[in-house]
Amino acid sequence: MVRALGLLTGAVVIAIGIGLLTRADTAFGMVWAVGMVLFGVIVVVSWLAHRPRTRAPLPARDETRDGEPARFHPRRISDPMLFITGTLGAWCTVVAVVGAVEESWLWLVLAGVPAVYLAGFPLLWAAGRLRPGGVWVTPTRVVDEHYGLRTEVAIADVAALSPRAQTLHVTLKAGAAVTEHRLTPKPWRARSTALEIQTKDLQGGSQQLAQELTP
């Protein structure tokens, strides 16, 4: 029922946007009407992306990581984040430009700042800096890369592993070092998850990963 309501809401918003677009008499008014249509499209796309469905995890594969043999567990992009942020970023850019020309230069700030932030996600993804990444298990380390943050922990420093539904909780020995590599600026990267590895989209989940990390 809730999902059907979301789809209906998206369709209604699109219809309202189209109606406003036919009545807009200025370029700035047309931009806002198009924005209404885009919001409706985003709602529909989000509904489609989050429908209950079974998607097999990407298979693990053997790789080489910094000169060591490694077992790589890739993550799959499972949400429409890039489409949503890219669409809204492009729309905010148009609002900033048209608003500054037709209304006030303040629109360059009001819409320009969110345009830079939102467009940053697809641009960083295209540059290879913002990916779901995955987990590499080598004979000496476990490396977890997730949306702009790469974390490395020596397997010898792991004291205990606690597999959970969608994460693997890692307990480290006293004084253990955690190495973090920040691939993107802070506003765009994932929060630090050194002791909590996301395993939702990994083949075998947290149980399989825990087995590989156990000596």
Side-chain angles (χ1 to χ4, degrees), residues 78-125:
S78 57
D79 57 55
M81 181 192 73
L82 293 175
F83 170 77
I84 292 174
T85 55
T87 300
L88 291 179
W91 178 74
C92 286
T93 300
V94 176
V95 171
V97 174
V98 176
V101 172
E102 286 202 348
E103 300 292 328
S104 169
W105 63 268
L106 286 174
W107 282 107
L108 284 176
V109 178
L110 295 175
V113 172
V116 171
Y117 174 71
L118 292 167
F121 288 98
L123 290 176
L124 288 169
W125 180 87

